[in-house]
Amino acid sequence: MLLQLSFPAIPDRLRLVRPMVRASAQLCGFTVEDSLDVVLAIDEACANIIEHAYHWRGDAEIVLTIFKIEGGIQFQLRDFAPPVSSRSVQPRNLDDIMPGGLGTHFIRSIMDDTRFMRAPDGEGNILELTKRAMVPS
Amino acid sequence: MLLQLSFPAIPDRLRLVRPMVRASAQLCGFTVEDSLDVVLAIDEACANIIEHAYHWRGDAEIVLTIFKIEGGIQFQLRDFAPPVSSRSVQPRNLDDIMPGGLGTHFIRSIMDDTRFMRAPDGEGNILELTKRAMVPS
Amino acid sequence: MNEFVSEEAGKLVVRLEGEVDLDRSPAVRKLLFDCVTRQMDVVVDLSEVQYIDSSGIASLVEGLQAANGNGTKFSLVAVSGQVRRVMELARLDKVFKIFDDVDAALAPMAPVV
Amino acid sequence: MNEFVSEEAGKLVVRLEGEVDLDRSPAVRKLLFDCVTRQMDVVVDLSEVQYIDSSGIASLVEGLQAANGNGTKFSLVAVSGQVRRVMELARLDKVFKIFDDVDAALAPMAPVV
Ligand SMILES: Nc1ncnc2c1ncn2[C@@H]1O[C@H](COP(=O)(O)OP(=O)(O)O)[C@@H](O)[C@H]1O
Ligand SMILES: Nc1ncnc2c1ncn2[C@@H]1O[C@H](COP(=O)(O)OP(=O)(O)O)[C@@H](O)[C@H]1O
């Protein structure tokens, strides 16, 4: 484990999370560009928890755990909200020009694996996001 | 509470902690210069735990909790090491030019308050570091 | 984050700075709406924006739609780095009129792309 | 962090980059010792160092002491920003010979401060 972070589900905290995610991605060997992509993906996933899992209840908690894995990085993002069905989490059709519905699209475009799980120890959801560094060929 | 961070007592983690401390200090209203000072103080305090409290035992844990307080910022840095007497934590005389012994001097120069406490819930030490923003006169 | 609005060559130039994220995008959305409501063409200068997320992009899309709705023009300036990357991921880099600098956006013969 | 050593005008120029912290300072310490041991004057270019902590400062002090010990010169170049601030806090800004750029440090008439 690289580190674990817990913070209240309040939008201004994301400004504190991003630089740490960026430094973590760089520590795991990602380029600056890829690290900025990873920052976007994690930021969007946190924003979705604030908006859709907790409905802006700022007293709720988010726990982000970051792992260095063979050739990449893995994030586990945990909330303590009611169960989310992964089918309800869907990007919109990008051909419709409309605000909203981009977050999950960004996450899936950037990360190699996206996995929703129930927290094994009781309430809450775990979103596991994995990215592997491009191996220069 | 702004956020809480826990990480293994390994030197390469400090690179991840610093940008978050910096962003936290800026969120609490500190200038860029003062925020860089705060980063140095927290980095030195973490380094001291790695070196002197845990003697480089990398499986040990450090927990950093950051609070926004009225006009400033407060950090609680917790270890799970045997009790430290605050009398044994002393900067060296700066008139001796020698490597080492600067960390605690930096911490005291930068922060307004430095307080060592026993962890209330069992083993470990808590170092509480507080800085208030300079009020422009 | 700071925002600055100035009137130049009959258009409203909105200069955004810093990080346009979930925390800051509601203020940006409101500002852009207010500008479009003044029935003037709006130029959004993004050169000092270091970071934008989907909520920031959504604010820009809403500004564009409001401008389309009331027949004014809405263009972006100096989209580079992380902001350009996010626009591309959202496939919106072709949807917005994007100029290299404010002068180009203000030029009377600015081509309608 | 990367380090580069080159021989210029009969001196060893050590260029440090990035963050010199508890993680990286052991490597810096070793590098500086190795350089001083070659019995040449050493110039440490800090212009690309964004961050230094007390362990990094300690490495520099050890390099200086080793140079004093074997009669060579040890100087620093382009100490600015956070690095200068830390030197001042440590009251070492007067202990090191500090030049504005590598050329000044390499000049034969470089004054011994
Ligand atoms: N963590 C979550 N918990 C519950 N529902 C979610 C979560 N994340 C996303 N969703 C659902 O997926 C939809 C698409 O999310 P997203 O692409 O980020 O767009 P937006 O947040 O703008 O609606 C959301 O509108 C929501 O219904
Ligand atoms: N967290 C700590 N636990 C135990 N002892 C400490 C701790 N922090 C500092 N000390 C003691 O205080 C001394 C001075 O620390 P410092 O000024 O940081 O210099 P240095 O780490 O270079 O020795 C250390 O040598 C150590 O004996």
Side-chain angles (χ1 to χ4, degrees), chain D residues 11 73 75 97-99 104-105 107-113:
Chain D
K11 304 190 183 196
K73 295 201 186 101
S75 52
K97 292 187 196 85
I98 301 180
F99 295 97
M109 63 298 190
V112 179
V113 183

Side-chain angles (χ1 to χ4, degrees), chain A residues 45 48-49 51-53 79 84 88-91 100-105 116:
Chain A
N48 277 344
I49 293 176
E51 295 177 277
H52 304 300
D79 64 49
V84 173
S88 70
V89 181
Q90 295 295 343
L102 289 171
T104 52
H105 168 69
F116 263 100

Side-chain angles (χ1 to χ4, degrees), chain B residues 11-12 14-15 18 36-37 39-40 43-44 47 50-51 56 94 97-100 102-103 105-106 109-110, chain D residues 19 21-24 51-55 57-59 61-62 64-65 82 85-87 89-92 95:
Chain B
D12 72 6
L14 300 180
R15 218 179 315 160
R18 289 193 296 265
L36 290 175
D37 271 1
V39 166
L40 179 65
D43 193 46
E44 296 288 349
I50 294 173
E51 294 178 278
W56 305 95
L94 287 191
I97 312 284
M98 52 176 220
L102 289 171
H105 167 69
F106 290 166
S109 307
I110 291 166
Chain D
E19 305 183 285
D21 65 356
L22 189 68
D23 189 36
R24 260 76 183 265
Y51 180 81
I52 197 165
D53 73 357
S54 69
S55 70
I57 295 289
S59 311
V61 170
E62 288 184 56
L64 175 66
Q65 291 179 331
Q82 194 268 350
R85 168 68 173 151
V86 177
M87 293 254 175
L89 279 175
R91 297 189 210 147
L92 287 169
V95 169

Side-chain angles (χ1 to χ4, degrees), chain C residues 19-85:
Chain C
E19 305 183 285
V20 187
D21 65 356
L22 190 66
D23 190 35
R24 261 74 186 264
S25 56
V28 170
R29 172 181 295 116
K30 187 179 172 314
L31 177 71
L32 295 179
F33 260 120
D34 290 350
C35 289
V36 169
T37 307
R38 288 167 66 182
Q39 282 292 137
M40 292 168 77
D41 292 348
V42 171
V43 174
V44 185
D45 180 357
L46 297 168
S47 57
E48 297 296 317
V49 171
Q50 274 86 47
Y51 181 81
I52 197 164
D53 72 357
S54 69
S55 69
I57 295 291
S59 311
L60 297 177
V61 171
E62 289 185 55
L64 176 66
Q65 291 178 329
N68 287 343
N70 74 359
T72 55
K73 295 201 187 101
F74 188 92
S75 53
L76 307 182
V77 159
V79 179
S80 62
Q82 195 268 350
V83 181
R84 179 168 297 273
R85 168 69 174 148

Side-chain angles (χ1 to χ4, degrees), chain B:
Chain B
M1 187 191 80
L2 279 182
L3 50 81
Q4 184 173 74
L5 190 64
S6 61
F7 55 99
I10 304 176
D12 72 6
R13 298 311 196 274
L14 300 180
R15 218 179 315 160
L16 312 182
V17 176
R18 289 193 296 265
M20 162 163 287
V21 170
R22 178 177 172 165
S24 300
Q26 292 195 235
L27 183 75
C28 292
F30 289 93
T31 61
V32 171
E33 282 76 28
D34 282 350
S35 298
L36 290 175
D37 271 1
V38 170
V39 166
L40 179 65
I42 303 310
D43 193 46
E44 296 288 349
C46 293
N48 278 344
I49 293 176
I50 294 173
E51 294 178 278
H52 305 300
Y54 287 139
H55 306 285
W56 305 95
R57 273 202 309 113
D59 57 336
E61 189 192 8
I62 299 177
V63 180
L64 174 63
T65 315
I66 310 182
F67 302 90
K68 186 179 196 311
I69 59 168
E70 177 82 34
I73 193 164
Q74 187 172 77
F75 299 87
Q76 285 185 0
L77 204 49
R78 174 165 186 182
D79 63 50
F80 301 86
V84 173
S85 143
S86 65
R87 268 176 306 126
S88 69
V89 181
Q90 295 295 343
R92 68 165 164 84
N93 182 344
L94 287 191
D95 296 334
D96 308 334
I97 312 284
M98 52 176 220
L102 289 171
T104 53
H105 167 69
F106 290 166
I107 296 169
R108 290 177 199 194
S109 307
I110 291 166
M111 305 304 284
D112 293 315
D113 279 320
T114 305
R115 211 150 65 92
F116 264 101
M117 297 175 284
R118 299 285 306 141
D121 57 339
E123 42 149 22
N125 305 281
I126 295 175
L127 175 59
E128 188 179 88
L129 299 169
T130 310
K131 187 174 175 73
R132 287 172 197 87
M134 194 83 88
V135 184
S137 58

